[in-house]
Structures are given as structure tokens and as C-alpha cells.
Amino acid sequence: MTDDPRRHLVLVGLMGAGKTTVGERCAQRLDRPFVDTDDLVQTLAGRPVAEVFATDGEAGFRALERHAVADACASPVPLVIACGGGAVLDPDSRRRLHTAGFVVWLRARPDVLAGRVDAEDLERPLLAGGSLPTLERLATTRAPVYETVADATVATDDRTPDEVATVVLEELARCAA
Ligand code: S3P
């Protein structure tokens, strides 16, 4: 435990950026618990993300996601937090994450992201209309938001998850120095 107000390592970015895979590796190397806000939403709802979207719509999902972010940020134990791609659209969540953590934007080109995601993934209903056009649109609209909340940006296009984790931890160490 720590009394550092910015104790968490937070990963943000679009679907396919590698937040979960890289986050798990960072957590392992830092010997910290890892949480994914999509998993927290699922626990809060008692249903899979796909079902929340189907029954409560995106607005219902975002409301639970806001709670999930607040719960994760409130943890006194330093965590590695992987945020669902749209979690930072909420201004309250952005403020919380920025206050409670060191935020890293995992950035990749939309065509690279499209090659990594499965358009049929039920946990990613926003991709149902086609991965590449959706990711191109989201990249345009969300880039300014990720940029605002991020303390550091790491390009993931040509890196393996282990390489990305190494760069993320270098950025974290640089900020702590
Ligand atoms: C979303 C990203 C997903 C999930 C939900 C909505 C988004 O998480 O939260 O489908 O709005 O970008 P990942 O970024 O972990 O895929």
C-alpha cells in the first residue's frame, strides 16, 4: 500500500491497442494486481458486457463503466488499470484517472488495430458495423480525448506486447524519478 495519490498505472486507447495484454504484463512485472474496467462492469452488472449493451444500450454500459472506473481509482492498493476504449469519454472518469494514476495512451494506426480485433467480438458491439471504418472514426474523434488525459503516449504499431510493456514501465519510472 502507498499514500501516493497517483498510485495506479492506467492504460487507455482504442480497442485492439493491447491494454489488457500489456496491462497484465506490466502488472506481473510490477507485482501489482491487474484490473480491466470491462471485467468490473461485468461484475457490477452480473451480466456480460454484450448483454449490458443489448438490454441497457451504450448509455447503460457507460453508467456502469463510470462506477467501475471510480471503484478502481479508489483502491488503496496500487493497481494496473486497463480502461475500456471509451471509458475516458466521461469527464469525471478522466479527472479521476488522471488524479489517481499515471495514464499511458497506447496508440496504434486504425489499420493495425483492425488487424488485431475480431469484428464479431460480442464484448465489442461498437465494431459490429465493420472494424476498420469504425476504428478510423473512433481514432479521429477520440485521439484528442486520449491526448488530454495521457501523461505519456506509447506507439504500439510495430512492437510486441512485451516490448510495449517495457516502454510503458520506462515511462512510469521516468515520471517517478
Ligand atoms: C469500447 C471498448 C471495449 C468495451 C466496449 C466499448 C469502446 O473495451 O469497453 O465494447 O467504446 O471503445 P476494449 O477497449 O477493452 O476493447
Side-chain angles (χ1 to χ4, degrees):
M1 249 193 279
T2 168
D3 55 6
D4 179 359
R6 302 194 67 199
R7 56 198 172 277
H8 306 305
L9 171 61
V10 179
L11 302 180
V12 303
L14 286 174
M15 293 174 269
K19 302 175 299 280
T20 302
T21 311
V22 170
E24 283 172 345
R25 290 176 197 205
C26 289
Q28 202 170 21
R29 293 199 214 167
L30 290 168
D31 194 21
R32 292 185 188 189
F34 168 78
V35 299
D36 186 313
T37 61
D38 285 338
D39 294 339
L40 298 179
V41 166
Q42 186 160 319
T43 304
L44 284 169
R47 293 170 286 157
V49 165
E51 225 177 286
V52 175
F53 263 89
T55 54
D56 307 341
E58 184 173 350
F61 171 79
R62 296 294 174 207
L64 287 169
E65 191 174 48
R66 193 175 313 124
H67 280 287
V69 167
D71 287 353
C73 287
S75 165
V77 176
L79 302 174
V80 176
I81 305 171
C83 290
V88 295
L89 297 176
D90 179 74
D92 253 13
S93 293
R94 277 207 296 283
R95 203 169 318 113
R96 266 183 223 282
L97 289 163
H98 194 73
T99 305
F102 179 73
V103 183
V104 181
W105 173 21
L106 300 187
R107 201 183 54 195
R109 294 193 317 269
D111 59 304
V112 173
L113 297 170
R116 291 180 189 159
V117 297
D118 172 7
E120 309 297 316
D121 187 341
L122 294 176
E123 302 301 299
R124 291 166 165 161
L126 298 183
L127 295 181
S131 302
L132 186 56
T134 305
L135 288 163
E136 280 171 336
R137 179 176 49 79
L138 292 178
T140 305
T141 54
R142 291 186 182 173
V145 181
Y146 294 136
E147 198 157 16
T148 305
V149 74
D151 296 293
T153 300
V154 174
T156 71
D157 307 87
D158 302 316
R159 291 180 165 132
T160 65
D162 272 321
E163 288 168 346
V164 175
T166 298
V167 181
V168 167
L169 295 180
E170 281 169 4
E171 292 289 347
L172 180 67
R174 205 195 318 272
C175 118

